Structures are given as C-alpha cells and as structure tokens.
C-alpha cells in the first residue's frame, strides 16, 4: 500500500497571476526570435515563482506582448518598457528615475531585453541615451 506521506492532501489552486503570465508568455513566444527561448525563460519567466516579482513581471510581459513593432523604432514604447523593467528589477523602488537611467547594469539588462524579445542587436548608446533622457525630463 502506498502512503501519501510527502504529498499534500490536496493540490493548491493556481493563482490567476500565473495564468496571466502564461498567456502573455505565449503571445510573446509567437513573435519573438526563437534562438533566445532559453534566455527568456531563465532571465524572465522563471521569476514568476517568487511572489515579489509576479506583479512587476506581469506588467512587463503585458507591455512586451503589446508592442511587437519595436524592431523598427525606439520611441515612447522604449520608455514604457524601461519603466516596467526598472519596476521589475527594483520592486521596492529604491532607485529614483535618474539613478535608474544612469545605472549601467540596468541599461545592460535593457539591451539584453531588446535582444531577447525583439532580436534587436544592441542599439547605439546615443539612441538609448536620447530616449531615456527624454524620460527623465518628461516625468
């Protein structure tokens, strides 16, 4: 006879946030470059297991799924994505917006995000600086 000693008596229900993350992940995977599937999973989708990152991840994936045309231009969408990325990597909002724009690690993660989700090779530093500096002055 098999005794269920180490298994719970009932399976805990999935959270609705997990279902929404799965939905946006499927939308993104349909239009994203296939060669970066593992990077997207390891650097972004796996964060859904940590409660602090679920809501910022959901908002980031929502923005990424809505803007498949970023391959051609860096505009308002880039600023929205950077703000969501800042919220994702800084869930306790310890960085001000000016500090986030000046942070080289966050800019590197932003470049990686553009590559993993849009296949856009590293944009020039001038393009990103112009776009993000507009962000500082507009807020």
């Amino acid at each position: 006879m098999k005794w269920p000693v180490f298994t719970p008596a009932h399976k805990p229900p999935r959270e609705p946030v997990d279902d929404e993350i799965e939905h946006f992940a499927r939308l993104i995977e349909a239009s994203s470059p296939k060669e970066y599937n593992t990077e997207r999973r390891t650097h972004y989708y796996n964060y859904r297991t940590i409660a602090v990152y679920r809501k910022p991840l959901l908002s980031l994936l929502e923005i990424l799924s809505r803007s498949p045309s970023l391959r051609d231009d860096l505009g308002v969408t880039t600023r929205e994505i950077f703000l969501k990325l800042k919220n994702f990597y800084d869930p306790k909002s310890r960085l001000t917006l000016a500090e986030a724009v000046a942070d080289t690690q966050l800019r590197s993660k932003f470049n990686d995000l553009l590559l993993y989700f849009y296949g856009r090779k590293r944009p020039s530093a001038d393009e990103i600086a112009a776009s993000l500096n507009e962000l500082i002055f507009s807020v």
Side-chain angles (χ1 to χ4, degrees):
M1 178 176 207
K2 185 177 175 184
W3 294 82
V5 177
F6 296 109
T7 57
H10 61 86
K11 188 176 181 180
R14 284 184 69 155
E15 293 187 24
V17 174
D18 288 340
D19 293 335
E20 291 179 37
I21 289 174
E22 284 294 323
H23 171 71
F24 288 126
R26 273 188 250 111
L27 287 175
I28 290 169
E29 291 301 317
S31 63
S32 295
K34 303 299 181 211
E35 63 265 17
Y36 299 112
N37 283 345
T38 56
E39 285 85 356
R40 284 191 295 272
R41 279 190 215 114
T42 57
H43 295 293
Y44 297 98
Y45 302 152
N46 281 342
Y47 277 91
R48 72 175 138 220
T49 60
I50 304 171
V52 176
Y53 291 104
R54 283 188 186 138
K55 289 185 181 175
L57 175 64
L58 181 64
S59 63
L60 178 65
L61 293 179
E62 182 180 3
I63 289 289
L64 292 171
S65 69
R66 280 192 316 187
S67 55
S69 63
L70 185 68
R71 291 188 182 112
D72 300 328
D73 73 81
L74 287 170
V76 177
T77 308
T78 306
R79 288 179 238 144
E80 289 178 14
I81 291 172
F82 185 80
L83 284 174
K84 297 299 181 183
L85 187 70
K86 179 216 174 277
N87 292 338
F88 175 67
Y89 279 112
D90 184 27
K92 295 183 180 179
S93 296
R94 292 183 178 160
L95 291 175
T96 64
L97 189 57
E99 292 171 340
V101 169
D103 188 14
T104 56
Q105 290 180 343
L106 192 59
R107 280 191 180 203
S108 173
K109 291 187 185 296
F110 181 66
N111 286 335
D112 291 342
L113 180 136
L114 292 178
L115 180 65
Y116 298 156
F117 287 90
Y118 298 107
R120 187 178 172 106
K121 301 295 180 201
R122 303 215 176 250
S124 71
D126 294 335
E127 281 181 319
I128 292 179
S131 180
L132 297 181
N133 285 336
E134 288 176 17
L135 179 66
I136 292 174
F137 296 120
S138 67
V139 172

